[in-house]
Amino acid sequence: MKIHLNGKLVERGEAVVSVFDHGLLYGDGVFEGIRTYNGRVFKLEEHLARLEESGKAIMLTMPTSREEMKKAVLDTLRANGLQDAYIRLVVTRGEGDLGLDPRKCHGKGTIIIITDKISLYPEEHYRNGLEVVTVATRRNLPEAVSPKIKSLNYLNNILAKIEANNAGVLEAIMLSADGWVAECTGDNIFIVRKGQLITPPTYIGALDGITRATVMDLAKKNGIPCTEALFTRYDVFNADECFLTGTAAEVIPVSKVDSRPIGTGKPGPITLKLVEAYKALTRSEGLAI
Ligand code: PMP
């Protein structure tokens, strides 16, 4: 496996960074998870734009231009001969000293690009729906570390994931500090009520998901009304349908939340329509490798 590290393609064993890298010491950096389908990178421009925006929010200037970053992603995919892949693009603050101060980090920052085979939720969950629970760990306060920043500090999400693991399910719903439904540990959330899609506004403390935006667009094209609105666990329990969206998960139906079956307890018709529309889109557009 070839890994891109700071402009060079190196073997996995040689892809090592300094123990003084602030990405490691402090989670000081940003990242993206991107997918390729059938030899084409899906929504690469959108992912690179979000990476830059996350960087801007933490005052981390990208070490290379958008075009150079794009080329580095494509070169890494080519070097690994991958057609269907998951891409992890990481930019850290780089090597500094043991203090927090990012001004002590010399160099332009560390760029890492890993391309690997995608690992998915088991297929049965796409057919039957996924069971999730709401966890006690609240999503980060947007006024503290905004969940809009896709930073290397994922401890908030990891704590929630541990709670999901302890409950024996694969995903967790995270609430905002005020108790509104925010998102999941690695996915955005939608509910369907009386034929209408509802997803939490990202200001509540959720990532501005690229799959979320794609699904909202597909809903519009398919004549399904979609709004961004605050809602609670009660609204999820009493929704007709519920599904999650994410680059890795795509569109996945939710069958049960906190032991309450959602709707009929089976994936609903609007969810299934969007699953198909998303599948068709991922196979029909993207930047050729
Ligand atoms: N929320 C969180 C916390 C995530 O980590 C992800 C995955 N990147 C998502 C939502 C979904 O975002 P996207 O559709 O851009 O992958």
Side-chain angles (χ1 to χ4, degrees):
M1 180 194 276
K2 296 272 191 207
I3 313 265
H4 174 110
L5 179 63
N6 292 327
K8 290 199 184 82
L9 283 166
V10 296
E11 285 302 332
R12 184 186 174 135
E14 287 149 29
V16 289
V17 297
S18 165
V19 293
F20 286 93
D21 194 297
H22 277 207
L24 172 69
L25 288 177
Y26 294 115
D28 188 357
V30 292
F31 79 100
E32 279 299 318
I34 312 166
R35 258 181 97 160
T36 70
Y37 293 90
N38 206 14
R40 285 200 285 206
V41 192
F42 190 62
K43 303 277 179 195
L44 181 57
E45 206 69 43
E46 286 82 349
H47 282 283
L48 293 178
R50 187 171 65 185
L51 184 76
E52 289 165 15
E53 288 182 10
S54 292
K56 183 155 191 187
I58 65 163
M59 295 190 82
L60 171 60
T61 309
M62 291 300 110
T64 65
S65 69
R66 170 97 57 102
E67 282 313 303
E68 283 168 322
M69 201 69 100
K70 207 178 283 176
K71 185 175 177 305
V73 168
L74 295 175
D75 286 348
T76 313
L77 287 163
R78 285 184 200 124
N80 288 289
L82 289 167
Q83 297 290 300
D84 291 279
Y86 182 78
I87 305 160
R88 174 57 52 89
L89 175 47
V90 177
V91 179
T92 81
R93 189 82 65 181
E95 199 177 332
D97 66 13
L98 289 180
L100 290 177
D101 194 344
R103 291 174 302 184
K104 301 278 174 62
C105 295
H106 40 85
K108 286 179 158 181
T110 305
I111 301 181
I112 300 163
I113 305 172
I114 307 167
T115 57
D116 203 353
K117 297 233 161 61
I118 179 84
S119 74
L120 298 168
Y121 288 129
E123 171 56 30
E124 58 171 292
H125 297 307
Y126 289 88
R127 265 182 285 115
N128 302 325
L130 189 67
E131 177 171 2
V132 302
V133 294
T134 313
V135 293
T137 303
R138 297 295 169 104
R139 195 73 178 97
N140 279 337
L141 270 184
E143 299 84 354
V145 180
S146 173
K148 283 193 175 191
I149 303 170
K150 201 163 167 59
S151 87
L152 291 182
N153 198 317
Y154 249 50
L155 205 44
N156 182 220
N157 313 55
I158 290 165
L159 290 174
K161 181 77 175 178
I162 289 169
E163 289 188 74
N165 292 347
N166 291 344
V169 299
L170 295 175
E171 245 306 3
I173 294 177
M174 299 182 76
L175 308 177
S176 69
D178 290 337
W180 301 106
V181 171
E183 62 174 338
C184 295
T185 68
D187 301 309
N188 290 107
I189 185 166
F190 287 76
I191 56 172
V192 180
R193 179 98 179 154
K194 297 194 171 98
Q196 181 174 309
L197 280 187
I198 312 168
T199 191
T202 55
Y203 67 74
I204 197 70
L207 188 75
D208 203 345
I210 288 164
T211 319
R212 173 184 182 275
T214 306
V215 163
M216 288 167 87
D217 197 42
L218 286 171
K220 196 186 271 177
K221 287 188 176 126
N222 282 276
I224 304 164
C226 181
T227 55
E228 293 178 85
L230 298 176
F231 59 85
T232 63
R233 287 172 74 216
Y234 173 91
D235 302 309
V236 180
F237 299 155
N238 291 294
D240 301 322
E241 301 178 32
C242 177
F243 62 85
L244 313 181
T245 62
T247 296
E250 303 182 306
V251 181
I252 184 157
V254 171
S255 55
K256 214 182 239 187
V257 177
D258 300 335
S259 305
R260 282 88 160 169
I262 303 303
T264 61
K266 291 265 166 232
I270 292 181
T271 304
L272 291 176
K273 193 169 188 178
L274 290 166
V275 167
E276 284 315 309
Y278 187 77
K279 239 183 216 147
L281 186 71
T282 55
R283 275 115 187 119
S284 68
E285 68 166 51
L287 183 65
I289 299 167

